[in-house]
Amino acid sequence: MSDTSVMVSADAAAQLFVDTYGYEPSGVWSAPGRVNVIGEHVDYAAGICLPFAINRRTYCAAALREDGVIRLASRLPHSRKASQWEGKLAEVGPGSPSSWPGYPAGVIWSMWQDAEAIGVNLTENSGFDMVFVSDVPLGAGLSSSAAIELAAACAVFDLTGPGLESLDEGRVDEPSNHLVAACIRAENDVVGASTGGLDQSVSFRGQAGEVLELDMGENSVAEVPFDLDSNGLAILVMNTNAPHNLGDGQYASRRAVVDRVMEGLNVTAPHREHKLVDRAVEWAATQPEAEKKKNKQAWLDLVARRMRHIVTESRRTESLVEALRKGALGDPKDADAVHGLESVGGLMTASHESLRDDYEVSCPELDSAVDAALECGAWGARMTGGGFGGSAIALINAEDVDKVEKAVLASAAHLGLAAPSFIVAVPSEGAGRDR
């Protein structure tokens, strides 16, 4: 039942470009969505995350213009007609354009603002024709936004700069860092959706067969072995098909609490601080908003829960990374591997419980999927992405994919929820040029 979505390709992007603009593109670039194994809602708190790029991509066919005009077109897999937008680079900026064009247009604008550091030759007269096709599910919490951003950024970098081949292996050099930062700035400032950078980093730097340990405080990237296939394991993505929107204020409200505490206590890495939760509550009690709350204690309890998640989530991630480096992903048919799998799965499930109870970003659809997968024998399961809808993931035996899918579907039907859809996620390569 998995992997039934319409697959797209570089050729499909090139053909849409010709159909839309009447000439051949200069090239086609693509970038993947992502799954985060653990380390959720800590990327903006200098925490540690463990994502991988998935086998779902957004393709961008593009060509350079010299009149300052940006023309964009995007066609969804099941749609016959492309959505189009046209505007001037000089008119792009915070809040404009809105909706999906804000992502690629925002990236072009953001790279223009930091052109020297990135190493691209962009001016007010720079323009682009671009089209996009994608099989990254929209609204599923798999970062379709980062995929379109990085696909566009790679096109711009190749067409106006030294090209992707000039970047260091692993893409942790300064031009790479500035390119990723430009994509983050586009989403934060132009689109107005708060993001901490996890999505953009893994979409750009992902490696086949690996998860990336991203230490957002140290700005470091390390590859961690994540060999699922040869061990008879799978990561099942359970897209709840519940609406997922990080621009509705829920994400921002939680981040605001964390940002205030970190600034107020002058903390740079919460998970490495001693008794931070207690200190955060003591600090919050002295702030003016505490006295304005109708229920001061409820407010202080909320601060405690939010910061407890921030601290414990990165520590769980550290423990999971350590387990993976010691070979915890073994064949489930090997009795000696069971303890390692139980350890990894237990950390994933504890992450979901923290996101559900302390950070309060889960929802009935996500809880239903996680609970059903666990009851069906998953080693561990958790929501992934920003929450409030979107997707959950489960670490399962590969032979159990159909069984787990049926259990998740049955649970959703019993609760009167939307029917989930599924992807078996494979750790894949990051953004690059396809033709």
Side-chain angles (χ1 to χ4, degrees), residues 307-395:
M307 295 310 299
R308 182 164 57 236
H309 170 75
I310 294 296
V311 170
T312 60
E313 182 74 348
S314 282
R315 291 176 181 172
R316 280 186 289 271
T317 305
E318 288 180 316
S319 296
L320 203 153
V321 168
E322 182 180 2
L324 290 176
R325 292 197 183 283
K326 291 181 177 178
L329 283 191
D331 187 335
K333 295 178 181 178
D334 181 352
D336 293 336
V338 170
H339 177 73
L341 290 168
E342 288 176 341
S343 175
V344 170
L347 289 164
M348 292 173 64
T349 303
S351 169
H352 181 77
E353 292 168 351
S354 179
L355 288 158
R356 181 192 65 203
D357 300 335
D358 281 348
Y359 224 61
E360 298 178 285
V361 292
S362 190
C363 62
E365 291 88 349
L366 289 167
D367 293 339
S368 168
V370 166
D371 292 344
L374 291 171
E375 290 171 8
C376 200
W379 296 103
R382 62 182 292 275
M383 57 157 278
T384 189
F388 313 108
S391 296
I393 60 172
L395 175 63

Side-chain angles (χ1 to χ4, degrees), residues 107-125:
V107 165
I108 298 167
W109 168 82
S110 188
M111 292 179 72
W112 174 32
Q113 303 304 302
D114 201 19
E116 183 176 352
I118 299 172
V120 291
N121 181 22
L122 288 170
T123 70
E124 187 173 310
N125 293 321

Side-chain angles (χ1 to χ4, degrees), residues 33-212:
R34 65 92 190 93
V35 154
N36 195 23
V37 176
I38 197 170
E40 212 69 73
H41 279 282
V42 297
D43 53 339
Y44 50 81
I48 303 173
C49 317
L50 197 66
F52 65 83
I54 64 173
N55 48 322
R56 289 290 182 273
R57 303 182 77 84
T58 294
Y59 293 84
C60 170
L64 187 64
R65 302 172 61 98
E66 297 179 352
D67 56 1
V69 172
I70 300 171
R71 296 194 296 178
L72 306 173
S74 175
R75 188 174 66 202
L76 299 176
H78 296 285
S79 176
R80 292 184 178 180
K81 187 177 181 181
S83 171
Q84 298 188 49
W85 177 87
E86 181 175 328
K88 285 275 193 177
L89 174 56
E91 297 169 354
V92 177
S96 179
S98 60
S99 190
W100 74 266
Y103 294 97
V107 165
I108 298 167
W109 168 82
S110 188
M111 292 179 72
W112 174 32
Q113 303 304 302
D114 201 19
E116 183 176 352
I118 299 172
V120 291
N121 181 22
L122 288 170
T123 70
E124 187 173 310
N125 293 321
S126 299
F128 297 87
D129 285 340
M130 290 181 171
V131 302
F132 300 91
V133 296
S134 180
D135 56 20
V136 183
L138 299 179
L142 302 178
S143 204
S144 58
S145 57
I148 193 172
E149 290 161 7
L150 268 302
C154 288
V156 173
F157 192 73
D158 267 356
L159 292 173
T160 68
L164 295 170
E165 293 182 355
S166 70
L167 301 175
D168 288 353
E169 184 178 2
R171 296 178 174 175
V172 293
D173 53 356
E174 282 305 301
S176 295
N177 291 337
H178 283 282
L179 186 149
V180 169
C183 293
I184 297 169
R185 187 165 55 247
E187 189 160 339
N188 285 338
D189 295 350
V190 177
V191 180
S194 187
T195 178
L198 177 161
D199 302 341
Q200 291 79 9
S201 185
V202 70
S203 183
F204 189 51
R205 298 175 169 125
Q207 297 288 331
E210 310 274 353
V211 287
L212 296 186

Side-chain angles (χ1 to χ4, degrees), residues 403-424:
K403 181 176 72 171
V404 175
E405 288 180 359
K406 290 175 181 177
V408 172
L409 284 167
S411 177
H414 177 73
L415 295 172
L417 304 173
S421 51
F422 305 92
I423 296 172
V424 175

